Amino acid sequence: MLTRKNKLFISKVISLFSVVRGYNIPIIVLAQYLSAIFILAPEKRALSILTDLNLLVLVFSTTLAIASGYIINSFYDSKKDLINRPNKSILDRLVSQKTKLNVYFSLNFIATVLALFISWRAALFFATYIFLIWFYSHKLKKQLFVGNIMAALLAILPFFCILLYFYFKLPFEEIENHKDDLAVIFTHATFLFLLLLIKELIKDLENIKGDLANEYRTIPIVYSEMWSKKIVLSLVVASVVPVYLLITIFDVGYMDSYFYCCLIVLIFFLLKLWKSSTKEQFLTLHTVLKILIVAGVFCIVLINPNVLWHGKKLLLNH
């Protein structure tokens, strides 16, 4: 039998796990490694990427920085979440604000120190990234449209950290030979950015009550729900451009099937969006976008499935 003290401790661990959104961390790690293998450094052997200790430290530092970002976001959003997410808010409040801040500073310190072992550039990147997350949570999040753009940018910055890690090793002259690779990378990033931005705008529609009570200047509050829907429509239309480039101009292997599916899902998404007016309906749309993004992570392997096949043969031979 667990004692009352042990039950309280377990509850606080679960609460902290909820605050740092621990369920997202494995997806972030997987996304970074799959991106490194199939998109950011496809010329390298998968095994050399997986056994790269410096890359492991970078990925680990990224997860710590992102986890700390969730903490500071929860810290500043505590009042808003009481309205928008009452059940999650009750769970999150099992850990005191003081404890959250202690964990926040500890994670940031460890992330920056670990990055310093790789290079001063890596440490500077993480120090800047941590500051930007804090500035977003404290100030920018309440600003009209700026908060949405910043949230989407902060979500894709960790991938640029991995990109810089690989490209800083190359002589400047050799980077010229990777123009096509960089074009593919930035097209992928543009599509992901647009999806994330759409997700942020849907989240604003979902959280109108809490945002209004806490004086957030979001598009549905300052203008109207219809304006938000029109902006989402324009972003979905804009996402067709990177999808077109990835399918017709660049070689993304079998991942083109994912992009075709995305277009079909986004058409139905828009039809549903136009009829939506309640928090529950916007939550459903938000969930659809999350599934699209997570599916995209797993579909990265479709760029070159042979990598998995060769990896399986290598493991069986050993």
Side-chain angles (χ1 to χ4, degrees):
M1 285 289 290
L2 290 172
T3 63
R4 187 172 178 274
K5 188 177 179 180
N6 288 337
K7 286 179 180 177
L8 183 62
F9 174 75
I10 291 170
S11 298
K12 286 186 175 183
V13 170
I14 294 170
S15 173
L16 194 59
F17 183 83
S18 171
V19 170
V20 302
R21 303 187 194 179
Y23 41 84
N24 282 348
I25 301 300
I27 299 295
I28 293 165
V29 172
L30 183 66
Q32 285 187 291
Y33 268 110
L34 289 180
S35 297
I37 293 168
F38 294 95
I39 300 172
L40 305 178
E43 74 284 353
K44 292 183 177 291
R45 291 180 67 232
L47 190 60
S48 68
I49 291 174
L50 293 172
T51 55
D52 188 330
L53 289 179
N54 284 342
L55 180 60
L56 174 64
V57 171
L58 273 182
V59 171
F60 185 61
S61 294
T62 300
T63 58
L64 294 181
I66 291 171
S68 74
Y70 286 135
I71 292 172
I72 202 66
N73 200 43
S74 170
F75 180 83
Y76 285 115
D77 278 357
S78 56
K79 289 181 181 178
K80 188 179 85 165
D81 287 343
L82 278 172
I83 300 169
N84 291 332
R85 298 178 181 84
N87 294 332
K88 187 178 187 302
S89 186
I90 292 168
L91 178 62
D92 292 354
R93 281 172 173 257
L94 290 173
V95 176
S96 69
Q97 296 289 64
K98 183 182 177 181
T99 301
K100 287 178 187 176
L101 285 179
N102 287 336
V103 175
Y104 167 74
F105 286 116
S106 298
L107 292 178
N108 285 337
F109 176 76
I110 295 168
T112 309
V113 169
L114 285 174
L116 192 57
F117 281 109
I118 297 170
S119 72
W120 65 268
R121 291 190 190 93
L124 179 63
F125 174 89
F126 279 101
T128 305
Y129 184 58
I130 289 162
F131 169 76
L132 288 174
I133 291 175
W134 169 81
F135 192 55
Y136 160 75
S137 300
H138 182 51
K139 289 285 184 186
L140 296 181
K141 195 172 187 181
K142 292 187 177 184
Q143 301 306 312
L144 184 66
F145 208 57
V146 175
N148 302 114
I149 293 171
M150 196 64 184
L153 281 174
L154 288 171
I156 62 173
L157 268 180
F159 297 98
F160 282 99
C161 171
I162 307 299
L163 175 66
L164 291 174
Y165 169 69
F166 287 120
Y167 278 81
F168 265 128
K169 293 179 176 181
L170 299 175
F172 184 75
E173 305 77 39
E174 198 175 324
I175 292 176
E176 291 285 317
N177 301 327
H178 290 267
K179 280 184 178 178
D180 290 343
D181 292 335
L182 288 170
V184 175
I185 290 165
F186 281 101
T187 308
H188 273 285
T190 301
F191 178 68
L192 177 59
F193 172 76
L194 290 170
L195 271 188
L196 290 166
L197 190 53
I198 293 166
K199 185 170 77 72
E200 289 300 317
L201 291 169
I202 296 299
K203 195 160 69 173
D204 285 346
L205 287 165
E206 180 191 337
N207 296 333
I208 287 177
K209 285 185 180 178
D211 289 344
L212 191 61
N214 288 275
E215 300 179 346
Y216 277 56
R217 298 184 73 248
T218 61
I219 292 167
I221 290 172
V222 174
Y223 296 107
S224 65
E225 285 189 21
M226 184 52 67
W227 260 101
S228 289
K229 290 178 180 181
K230 286 177 180 178
I231 293 171
V232 169
L233 170 62
S234 64
L235 291 173
V236 170
V237 172
S239 71
V240 173
V241 176
V243 167
Y244 172 79
L245 293 173
L246 289 165
I247 289 173
T248 62
I249 296 177
F250 302 124
D251 182 14
V252 291
Y254 296 107
M255 197 182 178
D256 58 358
S257 57
Y258 165 75
F259 292 115
Y260 283 122
C261 287
C262 277
L263 289 178
I264 294 167
V265 171
L266 287 172
I267 289 168
F268 285 103
F269 171 87
L270 286 174
L271 293 173
K272 177 72 176 174
L273 173 64
W274 234 248
K275 297 176 183 177
S276 298
S277 58
T278 66
K279 180 181 173 68
E280 290 71 25
Q281 288 171 324
F282 290 128
L283 177 60
T284 301
L285 292 171
H286 190 192
T287 304
V288 168
L289 289 171
K290 280 183 177 179
I291 292 169
L292 265 187
I293 292 166
V294 173
V297 172
F298 288 98
C299 287
I300 290 172
V301 299
L302 295 176
I303 293 173
N304 185 8
N306 287 332
V307 172
L308 291 182
W309 175 249
H310 290 312
K312 182 182 176 182
K313 283 173 69 177
L314 190 66
L315 287 172
L316 289 174
N317 289 336
H318 281 280

